[in-house]
Amino acid sequence: MKITSKILIAGLVAASLSCNDGYIDDITPVPQGDDETAPEVAINFPDPGPLTWVPEDVMAIDIDFEVMDDIEIQDIIVTMDGQEIGNYTDFRDYRKAAIKLPYENLTNGDHTLTVTANDLSGKTTTNTVEFEKPEDYIPQYDGEVFYMPFDGQYLELVSVSEATAVGEPGFAGESASGANAYAGATDSYLTFPAADLAEGEFSASLWYKVNANPDRAGILVIGPPDPDNPDAQNNRTAGFRLFREAAGSNQRIKLNVGNGSGENWFDGGATADINPGSGEWVHIAISISGTECAVYINGEPVSQGTFPGISWEGCDIMSIGSGAPRFSGWGHLSDNSFIDELRIFNKALSQTEVQGIMDDEQP
């Protein structure tokens, strides 16, 4: 028993020595000799250029940067517009520091962030990023004319105007991208004026987490009035109707477009099905040109084809999260699903553009 204990103690001592002989840990060697290089400074956030617009005049950000040195970091100093906002001298790993610095008072306008790192031998490295907190939202994509991020509010950022809430829609407490997505509710939806959105070409992009109850609903609709059926409107000669219907245990995404004298259907069948049981966010986009329509799910076309062009006759409102009031005759009413990052474009989007938007927005 005594011999076993001595062997165990000797083994632990040897292991301890081998783990620290020239190493900070078991994988990172400590270089020997003189300090040869200055520190490396990488600023991960903010990026150069404008930040994503927010309606508040003052916002909070998390500054994200890293510093590395071949021997040892002495200190790091962070300034915003020439004023010191951070000073670091104590590091868990004295050759590498990954730091997130909260900054609560970022105002509108141009800003300069500077991170300066010194090592023990007196070498210094400074990295600077010039960025902007925009006073107004700057569209992020070619042809973007409408953007609702649903970050806990129903504000459209291009026009800086509020959508009208019908009933009591709410927020999801989660999002596909951003802070807080739209959450539908029974007999509830949003409306927005459509006159400035009705162009010869039209596209829409959104994230969607489907709730299969009810088993059919409108998602995004711009349609004309139906004076012959005021309580169950279903005039499909103009505008478009993006909606869903039950397909077995799935929900099928469909698009109907009015061409002035009739209608065109874009139904991808089973390829346009979404599984409500997955609990996943799905990206949906529609693209309408003067000669062709396409429906995309997660960046892939599920239905597309030619048609004679859209008519916008009488189309003055857009419904978000319901077919009501202009597409209610077949029961496509309010949608209890979640919707996020709704963008509208005055051009037809290509598949490459749809995939680019999806890649930019997904977490």
Side-chain angles (χ1 to χ4, degrees):
M1 187 64 128
K2 293 181 179 179
I3 294 174
T4 302
S5 298
K6 290 179 179 178
I7 292 172
L8 177 60
I9 292 170
L12 291 173
V13 171
S16 176
L17 290 173
S18 64
C19 286
N20 291 281
D21 185 14
Y23 287 79
I24 294 173
D25 51 40
D26 60 350
I27 61 172
T28 308
V30 176
Q32 306 298 318
D34 296 333
D35 188 338
E36 297 180 352
T37 61
E40 298 177 11
V41 178
I43 300 176
N44 302 317
F45 183 84
D47 295 319
L51 298 174
T52 300
W53 183 83
V54 297
E56 294 80 15
D57 289 334
V58 179
M59 70 181 292
I61 62 172
D62 285 331
I63 298 164
D64 184 349
F65 63 92
E66 297 179 6
V67 175
M68 296 183 65
D69 188 63
D70 57 344
I71 297 297
E72 184 170 350
I73 304 167
Q74 176 176 278
D75 57 51
I76 302 170
I77 300 170
V78 184
T79 66
M80 181 73 74
D81 303 327
Q83 300 295 314
E84 184 175 307
I85 60 172
N87 192 314
Y88 303 88
T89 58
D90 187 19
F91 309 103
R92 178 177 297 179
D93 181 340
Y94 50 81
R95 293 195 302 121
K96 180 178 180 179
I99 297 173
K100 287 189 176 181
L101 171 60
Y103 185 70
E104 305 289 336
N105 193 37
L106 190 71
T107 56
N108 291 335
D110 296 327
H111 299 279
T112 301
L113 172 71
T114 301
V115 179
T116 300
N118 300 292
D119 66 17
L120 288 181
S121 68
K123 295 183 178 67
T124 298
T125 299
T126 297
N127 195 354
T128 296
V129 168
E130 295 181 352
F131 67 101
E132 176 191 1
K133 179 188 178 302
E135 185 171 358
D136 299 309
Y137 173 71
I138 300 172
Q140 302 297 296
Y141 304 97
D142 181 35
E144 182 184 351
V145 295
F146 178 103
Y147 175 44
M148 290 188 74
F150 297 112
D151 289 340
Q153 56 188 344
Y154 305 133
L155 182 66
E156 195 284 305
L157 301 191
V158 176
S159 63
V160 195
S161 53
E162 293 274 354
T164 298
V166 178
E168 297 183 357
F171 296 97
E174 62 174 273
S175 66
S177 179
N180 202 353
Y182 170 88
T186 302
D187 298 327
S188 302
Y189 55 96
L190 304 177
T191 65
F192 198 88
D196 292 338
L197 306 176
E199 301 281 352
E201 295 189 335
F202 178 98
S203 296
S205 166
L206 59 94
W207 288 90
Y208 189 65
K209 181 181 279 192
V210 65
N211 182 338
N213 183 24
D215 68 353
R216 61 179 52 207
I219 300 172
L220 189 69
V221 172
I222 300 179
D226 187 353
D228 295 332
N229 302 286
D231 297 325
Q233 297 188 50
N234 197 0
N235 181 358
R236 304 184 305 280
T237 60
F240 72 90
R241 289 139 289 278
L242 178 67
F243 60 99
R244 62 172 175 84
E245 294 179 341
S249 60
N250 292 325
Q251 285 288 314
R252 185 163 297 172
I253 304 300
K254 299 182 179 183
L255 175 67
N256 172 275
V257 184
N259 58 47
S261 59
E263 58 186 317
N264 294 87
W265 285 89
F266 299 91
D267 180 348
T271 60
D273 286 356
I274 298 174
N275 177 12
S278 71
E280 295 180 353
W281 284 95
V282 174
H283 186 265
I284 299 174
I286 61 173
S287 175
I288 302 173
S289 75
T291 58
E292 187 175 24
C293 286
V295 181
Y296 299 90
I297 296 180
N298 287 336
E300 297 297 328
V302 296
S303 179
Q304 59 188 127
T306 59
F307 87 122
I310 192 169
S311 167
W312 295 108
E313 181 69 28
C315 296
D316 57 348
I317 62 170
M318 175 171 66
S319 298
I320 302 168
S322 180
R326 300 286 172 79
F327 181 52
S328 59
W330 290 341
H332 297 90
L333 302 174
S334 56
D335 191 350
N336 292 334
S337 305
F338 297 165
I339 299 173
D340 203 11
E341 298 294 306
L342 173 61
R343 299 181 193 267
I344 291 174
F345 304 82
N346 62 6
K347 57 172 284 184
L349 292 176
S350 68
Q351 182 180 2
T352 300
E353 289 173 313
V354 170
Q355 290 176 331
I357 295 167
M358 182 182 70
D359 291 343
D360 288 345
E361 291 179 341
Q362 65 186 354

